[in-house]
């Protein structure tokens, strides 16, 4: 039988099988309408049998009822081309889409979640509680300020040299571009389920980026704060639908429990030197006075 030969009807619904690149399950052709209903983890889909597909369609019909009940309470947007997540707080449901057109999850099916900055934990959540780990991104970005300031000074010098010969900017002097990696590249979200068709679901959100032509720490930190606010919305939404009422605690990197957090808040021996360094950054316009005051309180443990 040739590639474009007439094929038997879909064994599920009796519908027409497409002539070009038809889908198969266990060697049997499936119509596009039936096959488009599949929304499950790749590990489940790769082992799907015809009997398993029929059982899945029963689940699919039941899930349609949840889609009909879905009332959007919160939307989380990971960017223009990235993941959208919607939540229904009243019915404790959520869906990894801008509309409830994919699998709708019940909050009770979520076992745990983790959110990382690259490989560094930022949030962990389960029925046992939610932990927020201290991030060092702000400190690492601020530590780059002198290097960024030097690049800006080099650019100004290059422009000055460029004008010396004829008073015009003709790009005759070499210009240094900023190509140093950011403190981290992306937020990584993992949701772990007790679900017949999903074990784990992963999605990413890009971290902020420096402007390679005019890098600015303040702009970077403002973008980072906006991203953190979106991540915090996601954590709050997951807590509402899946882990309502559980305790939340903040811990330092690699530390366990609130006792370790309080220990980490004690002022370091060189706190005064650190305060002087951040004050210089404020006077240079790299950070605001509000950011300086917040950092000073942290270093003094108040």
């Amino acid at each position: 039988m040739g590639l474009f030969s007439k094929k038997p009807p879909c064994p599920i619904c009796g519908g027409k099988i497409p002539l070009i690149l038809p889908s198969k399950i266990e060697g049997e052709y499936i119509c596009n309408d039936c096959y488009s209903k599949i929304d499950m983890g790749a590990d489940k889909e790769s082992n799907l049998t015809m009997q398993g597909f029929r059982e899945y369609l029963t689940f699919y019909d039941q899930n349609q009822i949840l889609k009909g009940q879905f009332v959007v309470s919160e939307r989380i947007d990971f960017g223009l081309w990235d993941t959208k997540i919607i939540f229904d707080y009243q019915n404790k449901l959520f869906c990894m889409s801008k509309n409830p057109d994919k699998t709708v999850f019940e909050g009770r099916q979520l076992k745990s979640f983790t959110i990382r900055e690259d490989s560094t934990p930022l949030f962990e959540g389960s029925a046992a509680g939610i932990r927020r780990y201290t991030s060092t991104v702000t400190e690492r970005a601020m530590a780059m300020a002198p290097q960024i300031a030097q690049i800006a000074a080099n650019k100004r010098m290059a422009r000055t040299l460029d004008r010396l010969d004829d008073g015009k900017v003709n790009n005759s002097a070499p210009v240094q571009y900023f190509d140093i990696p950011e403190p981290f590249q992306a937020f990584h979200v993992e949701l772990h389920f007790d679900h017949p068709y999903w074990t784990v679901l992963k999605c990413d959100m890009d971290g902020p980026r420096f402007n390679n032509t005019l890098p600015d720490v303040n702009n970077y930190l403002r973008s980072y704060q906006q991203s953190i606010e979106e991540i915090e919305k996601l954590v709050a939404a997951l807590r509402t639908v899946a882990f309502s009422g559980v305790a939340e605690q903040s811990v330092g990197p690699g530390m366990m429990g609130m006792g370790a957090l309080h220990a980490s808040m004690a002022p370091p021996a060189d706190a005064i030197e650190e305060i002087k360094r951040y004050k210089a950054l404020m006077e240079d316009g790299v950070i605001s006075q509000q950011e300086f005051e917040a950092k000073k309180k942290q270093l003094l443990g108040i």
Side-chain angles (χ1 to χ4, degrees):
M1 184 178 291
L3 178 63
F4 299 107
S5 301
K6 185 175 180 180
K7 296 175 175 59
C10 174
I12 302 297
C13 69
K16 186 177 180 180
I17 302 297
L19 294 177
I20 301 175
L21 300 177
S23 301
K24 285 183 179 182
I25 296 178
E26 280 196 311
E28 293 192 61
Y29 292 111
I30 305 295
C31 73
N32 288 344
D33 286 342
C34 287
Y35 200 81
S36 66
K37 295 178 180 179
I38 297 177
D39 181 34
M40 63 179 69
D43 57 331
K44 305 289 186 180
E45 185 174 350
S46 62
N47 296 309
L48 192 61
T49 64
M50 283 299 296
Q51 178 59 32
F53 184 47
R54 290 187 172 91
E55 293 171 358
Y56 171 80
L57 291 176
T58 300
F59 161 81
Y60 177 87
D61 290 339
Q62 294 170 345
N63 204 249
Q64 291 296 101
I65 298 174
L66 297 182
K67 293 177 183 178
Q69 296 173 346
F70 205 105
V71 178
V72 178
S73 308
E74 186 76 79
R75 297 181 187 271
I76 310 293
D77 188 350
F78 275 17
L80 181 62
W81 305 111
D82 297 311
T83 301
K84 325 290 181 184
I85 312 176
I86 52 176
F87 291 86
D88 177 349
Y89 291 156
Q90 180 177 348
N91 295 304
K92 296 189 180 300
L93 305 172
F94 65 100
C95 181
M96 308 294 287
S97 179
K98 63 181 179 180
N99 299 303
D101 52 5
K102 294 186 177 181
T103 298
V104 171
F105 296 98
E106 299 177 71
R108 61 183 177 83
Q109 294 170 329
L110 182 65
K111 293 197 302 182
S112 65
F113 68 86
T114 60
I115 302 175
R116 295 180 173 85
E117 291 172 338
D118 289 343
S119 61
T120 303
L122 185 61
F123 284 97
E124 293 177 343
S126 69
I130 294 175
R131 286 183 177 177
R132 176 173 184 157
Y133 291 86
T134 302
S135 173
T136 61
V137 167
T138 297
E139 287 77 3
R140 284 184 283 150
M142 292 171 69
M144 299 170 71
Q147 190 174 10
I148 291 175
Q150 184 60 53
I151 290 174
N154 292 345
K155 286 178 179 291
R156 289 193 295 270
M157 179 61 71
R159 286 195 295 270
T160 300
L161 294 174
D162 198 20
R163 295 189 184 98
L164 286 178
D165 52 357
D166 57 5
K168 299 178 181 179
V169 177
N170 50 29
N171 298 319
S172 59
V175 178
Q176 181 180 2
Y177 288 93
F178 184 83
D179 59 357
I180 303 170
E182 285 80 6
F184 79 110
Q185 296 301 305
F187 297 97
H188 300 297
V189 179
E190 287 189 14
L191 308 179
H192 297 265
F193 294 95
D194 181 10
H195 190 277
Y197 297 105
W198 289 95
T199 302
V200 60
L201 203 156
K202 301 179 182 181
C203 54
D204 298 337
M205 176 180 175
D206 287 340
R209 297 288 184 265
F210 283 113
N211 183 315
N212 287 338
T213 304
L214 296 170
D216 183 273
V217 171
N218 284 330
N219 288 342
Y220 178 87
L221 291 177
R222 278 192 288 270
S223 296
Y224 176 68
Q225 183 58 37
Q226 291 172 358
S227 298
I228 285 293
E229 289 171 1
E230 203 70 9
I231 292 294
E232 288 172 340
K233 280 173 56 179
L234 173 60
V235 172
L238 292 171
R239 183 182 185 184
T240 298
V241 300
F243 309 124
S244 180
V246 303
E248 181 173 342
Q249 63 177 187
S250 298
V251 295
M255 299 178 182
M256 303 297 289
M258 291 301 292
L261 171 67
H262 294 314
S264 72
M265 293 175 64
D270 58 347
I272 300 302
E273 292 302 318
E274 282 290 287
I275 290 171
K276 289 181 180 179
R277 184 169 72 86
Y278 284 108
K279 185 177 181 181
L281 292 174
M282 179 190 72
E283 292 172 347
D284 290 341
V286 175
I287 63 173
S288 67
Q289 183 172 354
Q290 183 180 7
E291 290 169 325
F292 166 70
E293 294 295 338
K295 192 65 185 176
K296 182 172 71 172
K297 288 181 180 180
Q298 179 186 347
L299 287 166
L300 293 175
I302 58 177

